[in-house]
Amino acid sequence: MTRIDATFAALKKEGRKAFVAYIMAGDPDMETSLEVMRGLPGAGVDVIELGLPFTDPMADGPTIQLAGQRALEGGMTLNRTLEMVRRFRAEDAETPIVLMGYYNPIYSKGVESFLAEAAEAGVDGLIVVDLPPEEDAELCLPANAAGLNFIRLATPTTDDRRLPRVVQNTSGFVYYVSITGITGSAEAQAEDVGPEVARIQKASGLPVVVGFGVNTPEKARAIAEVADGVVVGSAIVSRIAQGGPVEEVLAFVKSLTEGAHAA
């Protein structure tokens, strides 16, 4: 059982929903993003989603694209992201960490080397948005064999014919993208999300966490009421981009977690 599996099992037993926070590794610099990361569990975050900066982030809206650019300009790399995870793990052995990004940096490093180092660093799961199920042999199956959850995205356009293939080798949880579009481009609607979550839960047998379009405590609560958890990314990254104190970012995150946990 991975940390992700254990976390969702514990939350289910407690009757609580998960709050997943996304930040970009190295934004605006490694030390600041590590300080934010270290503060997330204390702000109530159940799972940390750590973005891998990449030059062509096709699923991301302007907010996260700019965060990736800032991180790359500051010298952030895949290896430094893994080092950031190691430093976090030196103080926190419990909070699950999911790396979210694109395949190119992993392919360039080498899948076998990447998976060995990620597992050693303390990574628990991967979301690689540009690897469809047809490419499971590339990374998904080796990741599962290495003890890492491979988390797949489902979207409003994932119909009943496609869904079984999408969830076939997925583990940990399914990430439901609540809108058709890029991150930060629209708001999620609970009345639309609820039936989709139920459909995916039935097909996968896994917790379903909803992201994209969640940006306020009220919205986090509304979405969490119809899902197993909620992800907030762009709204948190926007606060980091404003350049205020880390404490202010974490206070905002805490307001979001309280919304989700109230569901």
Side-chain angles (χ1 to χ4, degrees), residues 78-79 82 104-115 117:
L78 174 54
N79 287 339
L82 294 176
N104 188 278
I106 297 169
Y107 178 79
S108 296
K109 181 177 178 62
V111 168
E112 187 175 343
S113 174
F114 166 74
L115 290 174
E117 290 187 35

Side-chain angles (χ1 to χ4, degrees), residues 160-172:
D160 288 338
R161 187 172 57 179
R162 178 66 173 167
L163 184 58
R165 186 67 183 270
V166 168
V167 303
Q168 184 176 12
N169 293 312
T170 299
S171 61

Side-chain angles (χ1 to χ4, degrees), residues 31 33 105-106 108 122 125 132 169 181 196 209 218 228 237 249 263:
E31 296 305 321
S33 62
I106 297 169
S108 296
N169 293 312
E196 291 298 295
V209 173
E218 295 76 22
D228 298 299
V237 172
V249 174

Side-chain angles (χ1 to χ4, degrees), residues 2-233:
T2 66
R3 291 185 187 93
I4 295 171
D5 298 328
T7 294
F8 277 96
L11 287 168
K12 185 176 182 179
K13 189 174 181 180
E14 296 165 10
R16 293 199 303 129
K17 303 302 180 71
F19 184 85
V20 183
Y22 173 98
I23 62 170
M24 177 65 72
D27 175 40
D29 56 71
M30 183 169 173
E31 296 305 321
T32 302
S33 62
L34 180 58
E35 186 180 353
V36 173
M37 187 180 180
R38 284 171 168 160
L40 292 176
V45 171
D46 299 297
V47 179
I48 296 171
E49 198 177 312
L50 189 61
L52 287 170
F54 181 54
T55 53
D56 189 22
M58 58 187 162
D60 296 309
T63 298
I64 292 178
Q65 284 188 23
L66 289 169
Q69 287 179 18
R70 289 190 296 268
L72 291 170
E73 288 167 2
M76 202 62 182
T77 63
L78 174 54
N79 287 339
R80 293 191 77 201
T81 300
L82 294 176
E83 178 58 27
M84 187 172 158
V85 173
R86 288 187 193 95
R87 291 175 64 186
F88 176 87
R89 279 282 173 247
E91 300 178 6
D92 186 319
E94 302 295 329
T95 307
I97 298 171
V98 175
L99 294 186
M100 181 172 185
Y102 300 84
Y103 187 44
N104 188 278
I106 297 169
Y107 178 79
S108 296
K109 181 177 178 62
V111 168
E112 187 175 343
S113 174
F114 166 74
L115 290 174
E117 290 187 35
E120 176 269 328
V123 172
D124 302 291
L126 304 174
I127 301 174
V128 182
V129 298
D130 54 348
L131 275 182
E134 288 73 18
E135 305 295 337
D136 274 359
E138 285 282 326
L139 182 62
C140 173
L141 297 180
N144 288 338
L148 301 180
N149 292 125
F150 197 89
I151 297 149
R152 190 82 68 189
L153 303 180
T155 75
T157 59
T158 307
D159 61 21
D160 288 338
R161 187 172 57 179
R162 178 66 173 167
L163 184 58
R165 186 67 183 270
V166 168
V167 303
Q168 184 176 12
N169 293 312
T170 299
S171 61
F173 60 90
V174 178
Y175 187 136
Y176 179 63
V177 177
S178 65
I179 59 172
T180 50
I182 54 176
T183 58
S185 62
E187 287 198 5
Q189 303 299 327
E191 59 270 24
D192 298 327
V193 167
E196 291 298 295
V197 167
R199 184 171 69 96
I200 297 164
Q201 287 170 332
K202 184 178 180 180
S204 68
L206 293 169
V208 178
V209 173
V210 176
F212 287 50
V214 182
N215 49 25
T216 66
E218 295 76 22
K219 183 66 71 174
R221 178 172 182 169
I223 296 300
E225 285 177 348
V226 297
D228 298 299
V230 61
V231 185
V232 178

